[in-house]
């Protein structure tokens, strides 16, 4: 049992609290409980039965089930019913930090806590979300239902990759001492932009490798997440077009810095200057011209 947990008073008036409140009183109670439950941990990924939620919140089974489902629909958490494991998506970032330095001893503690977690479908998702920021090296994978099935492989290199994946499935704790930052960053972009069918081709490899000369993997992931937080880039524009490709995000230092600021919520438009949305629109017009049909998704293959 933890000695304490961080719960901000802004929870009740912030975006998260409002989203839960829209789902009903039960979801608000369950959301608060999940952040401070006696069995919770700093990762926000832990074993928790619905029976326990029902008893300790006083909601009863019907109220607890309704509240948990509402929290899931609000995007607050996910629940593996078979393993009885809950994952509060942003809890690790809030309870620990947005990012740690590689020599921070908490990185070892996070990895150890992750290694000790019970088997569940959320292990891969947690690793993919937080590994770049907490410098995790061991990924456990027990087959997430969202994982795409393997396609027939054609080359010797692809056959070797398939054999490695099969070996990893036999050994759930995968040692990745030589974690490839290019692949990790690309996987992060795929997940954030919901583009699992996109391929890591030579152009994208060069873009990421070039950015890594001046930015850490965590900063590049922040830039990707910052793009995802920018409505204009995610399709809320007069062309109904998504401008979220790596060729835009990593185009140069100005773009990377801008999206990092967007991720931190620090973007501001000074009087008389163009807004972030206007700047992105201008850059995209310069990059793509005016011939892109409305509704196209730039640098993404729809799932």
């Amino acid at each position: 049992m933890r000695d304490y947990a961080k719960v901000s008073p802004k929870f009740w008036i912030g975006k998260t609290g409002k989203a839960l409140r829209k789902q009903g009183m039960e979801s608000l109670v369950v959301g608060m409980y999940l952040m401070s439950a006696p069995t919770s941990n700093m990762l926000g990924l832990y074993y928790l039965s619905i029976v326990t939620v029902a008893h300790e919140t006083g909601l009863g089974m019907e109220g607890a089930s309704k509240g948990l489902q509402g929290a899931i629909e609000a995007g607050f958490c996910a629940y593996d019913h078979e393993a009885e494991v809950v994952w509060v998506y942003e809890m690790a970032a809030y309870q620990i930090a947005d990012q740690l330095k590689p020599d921070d001893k908490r990185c070892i503690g996070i990895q150890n806590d992750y290694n000790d977690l019970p088997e569940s479908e959320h292990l891969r998702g947690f690793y993919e979300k937080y590994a770049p920021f907490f410098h995790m090296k061991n990924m456990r994978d027990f087959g997430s239902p969202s994982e795409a099935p393997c396609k027939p492989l054609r080359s010797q290199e692809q056959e070797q990759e398939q054999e490695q994946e099969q070996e990893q499935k036999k050994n759930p704790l995968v040692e990745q001492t030589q974690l490839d930052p290019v692949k990790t960053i690309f996987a992060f972009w795929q997940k954030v932009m919901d583009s699992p069918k996109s391929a890591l081709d030579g152009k994208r490899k060069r873009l990421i490798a070039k950015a890594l000369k001046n930015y850490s993997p965590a900063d590049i992931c922040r830039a990707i997440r910052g793009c995802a937080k920018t409505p204009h880039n995610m399709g809320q524009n007069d062309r109904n077009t998504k401008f979220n490709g790596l060729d835009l995000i990593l185009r140069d230092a100005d773009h990377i810095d801008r999206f990092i600021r967007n991720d931190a919520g620090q973007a501001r438009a000074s009087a008389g200057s163009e807004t972030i949305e206007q700047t992105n629109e201008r850059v995209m017009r310069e990059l793509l011209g005016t011939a892109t049909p409305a509704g196209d998704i730039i640098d993404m293959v729809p799932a």
Side-chain angles (χ1 to χ4, degrees):
M1 182 183 297
R2 291 191 297 163
D3 294 331
Y4 68 93
K6 297 179 184 177
V7 179
S8 170
K10 293 182 180 179
F11 169 84
W12 299 101
I13 58 176
K15 182 178 179 181
T16 300
K18 290 179 179 179
L20 290 170
R21 189 161 62 242
K22 286 182 180 180
Q23 297 293 329
M25 179 271 292
E26 294 90 348
S27 296
L28 197 60
V29 173
V30 169
M32 178 61 72
Y33 175 77
L34 293 180
M35 293 190 296
S36 57
T39 58
S40 65
N41 56 32
M42 63 180 178
L43 304 183
L45 179 61
Y46 56 96
Y47 172 81
L48 181 68
S49 69
I50 297 180
V51 173
T52 302
V53 179
H55 173 70
E56 295 190 343
T57 61
L59 292 173
M61 284 297 295
E62 182 177 353
S65 298
K66 179 181 177 181
L68 180 59
Q69 184 59 38
I72 293 171
E73 293 176 1
F76 178 75
C77 66
Y79 191 75
D80 182 343
H81 287 273
E82 183 176 350
E84 295 185 301
V85 171
V86 66
W87 178 21
V88 182
Y89 295 125
E90 302 300 326
M91 190 164 166
Y94 189 77
Q95 297 291 319
I96 304 171
D98 287 337
Q99 178 181 355
L100 297 177
K101 294 182 178 180
D103 58 352
D104 194 311
K105 293 183 179 180
R106 286 177 292 177
C107 294
I108 298 176
I110 292 168
Q111 182 69 68
N112 290 338
D113 285 352
Y114 173 80
N115 293 345
D116 292 337
L117 289 173
E119 300 180 11
S120 82
E121 63 186 36
H122 303 313
L123 292 172
R124 171 185 282 271
F126 181 90
Y127 182 88
E128 291 178 343
K129 179 177 177 66
Y130 287 107
F133 306 108
F134 296 153
H135 310 283
M136 301 172 66
K137 295 181 179 180
N138 299 337
M139 181 177 72
R140 298 172 60 198
D141 181 13
F142 290 90
S144 169
S146 62
E147 183 179 355
C150 296
K151 296 181 180 180
L153 303 178
R154 294 172 298 219
S155 68
Q156 182 178 0
E157 181 180 357
Q158 288 174 323
E159 290 173 357
Q160 291 174 349
E161 290 178 355
Q162 187 180 45
E163 290 174 358
Q164 290 174 356
E165 290 175 359
Q166 292 174 348
E167 185 63 26
Q168 289 175 1
K169 289 179 180 179
K170 294 178 183 177
N171 182 11
L173 186 57
V174 182
E175 182 70 22
Q176 297 186 358
T177 56
Q178 300 297 328
L179 189 65
D180 186 343
V182 173
K183 291 182 179 179
T184 300
I185 290 168
F186 183 72
F188 184 78
W189 177 83
Q190 283 182 303
K191 186 174 182 66
V192 170
M193 300 304 178
D194 191 23
S195 185
K197 295 182 180 179
S198 293
L200 180 57
D201 58 10
K203 179 181 178 182
R204 285 171 172 152
K205 287 182 180 179
R206 289 191 293 272
L207 280 168
I208 297 173
K210 181 181 178 181
L212 283 169
K213 293 180 180 179
N214 298 304
Y215 294 89
S216 68
D219 281 338
I220 295 174
C221 288
R222 285 180 180 278
I224 292 170
R225 194 168 60 186
C227 178
K229 290 182 179 180
T230 306
H232 176 86
N233 289 80
M234 298 306 295
Q236 297 182 28
N237 52 66
D238 57 359
R239 300 168 68 185
N240 295 321
T241 302
K242 289 184 178 181
F243 303 125
N244 60 352
L246 286 170
D247 57 344
L248 172 66
I249 301 171
L250 306 181
R251 186 181 185 189
D252 53 36
D254 286 339
H255 283 72
I256 296 174
D257 291 343
R258 180 187 305 127
F259 286 124
I260 290 175
R261 290 195 299 270
N262 286 12
D263 177 55
Q266 298 173 349
R268 297 289 186 272
S270 59
S273 64
E274 61 184 5
T275 64
I276 293 295
E277 290 77 9
Q278 291 170 335
T279 300
N280 288 334
E281 175 70 11
R282 173 176 55 77
V283 171
M284 288 311 303
R285 290 186 186 279
E286 294 174 358
L287 180 63
L288 301 171
T290 58
T292 303
D296 279 2
I297 300 178
I298 306 303
D299 202 13
M300 270 185 70
V301 179

